[in-house]
Amino acid sequence: PNGFCGMSIVFVGDVPDHRCLIPGNLNLSEAWLNRTIPLEQERGKLQHRQCRRYRLDVIRNLSATFADPDSINMSEVEQEPCLDGWEYSKDQYISTIVSEWELVCDDDWKGPFSMLIFFVGVLIGSFCCGQLSDRYGRKLVLFGTMAVQTVFSMLQAFSPNWETFCILNFL
């Protein structure tokens, strides 16, 4: 009965393509906006880095001095982490827990941890429900735990934060 719940994290917790969000109030040209995120070689092709960007104050100063970003060596510009959040690709999913609560870069450990929490709950539930099944019968305990799991899975969809999601995932 809990097979779907165990596999749902694969879809709910999938990590969409993402990159640093660049605030719209920078007043940069399109050429400079395209150069605010460093490029790196990944899987045989050049892609934007997902967790770093060039320092925006430096980019703003350079854009005021140089009209064309190709006229300077961008590899010498200082980088910083994504301070304004991320923008996510919506090609495959509209929303996942990763894009909802920004579980990327420094918080990327939280996705797999959510799955771990679920299976720890299954382990503990197996021991408890085994004892309850011996006392009250398998059918009653099986349908009771299926009802409890259904309720908590439905509540999980309305989780306001990652911590609540994990608690409901455990239960």
Side-chain angles (χ1 to χ4, degrees):
N2 62 5
F4 176 74
C5 291
M7 292 304 293
S8 69
I9 195 71
V10 172
F11 303 103
V12 173
D14 193 24
V15 181
D17 288 335
H18 59 279
R19 65 182 197 169
C20 291
L21 178 68
I22 305 301
N25 62 351
L26 289 179
N27 197 22
L28 295 174
S29 69
E30 191 67 31
W32 276 101
L33 277 175
N34 289 334
R35 298 297 297 271
T36 54
I37 299 175
L39 296 172
E40 68 181 349
Q41 192 79 15
E42 189 174 313
R43 293 183 227 131
K45 63 180 182 177
L46 212 52
Q47 293 182 336
H48 287 102
R49 291 197 62 184
Q50 295 182 328
C51 298
R52 309 251 338 137
R53 68 181 185 193
Y54 292 119
R55 284 191 44 200
L56 294 182
D57 57 336
V58 174
I59 292 291
R60 192 177 307 123
N61 292 338
L62 287 172
S63 71
T65 308
F66 301 98
D68 183 20
D70 293 328
S71 61
I72 64 167
N73 184 3
M74 293 296 286
S75 64
E76 296 174 2
V77 177
E78 286 183 66
Q79 295 183 14
E80 65 186 0
C82 300
L83 302 175
D84 299 304
W86 292 264
E87 57 182 285
Y88 298 91
S89 168
K90 296 193 183 312
D91 291 342
Q92 193 166 9
Y93 302 105
I94 294 171
S95 177
T96 67
I97 63 170
V98 173
S99 61
E100 191 74 25
W101 299 312
E102 299 196 335
L103 306 181
V104 292
C105 299
D106 290 340
D107 288 334
D108 63 347
W109 61 272
K110 291 182 177 180
F113 187 75
S114 300
M115 188 182 296
L116 173 81
I117 289 293
F118 172 78
F119 285 110
V120 168
V122 169
L123 178 69
I124 292 171
S126 297
F127 290 124
C128 296
C129 291
Q131 299 299 319
L132 291 173
S133 292
D134 289 344
R135 178 172 284 196
Y136 300 109
R138 284 184 228 139
K139 190 184 285 186
L140 179 65
V141 172
L142 175 67
F143 288 117
T145 55
M146 285 174 57
V148 167
Q149 187 174 37
T150 301
V151 168
F152 283 118
S153 294
M154 294 296 176
L155 289 174
Q156 209 175 20
F158 303 104
S159 298
N161 53 39
W162 176 75
E163 291 80 6
T164 305
F165 179 86
C166 284
I167 290 168
L168 294 171
N169 206 19
F170 175 78
L171 298 174

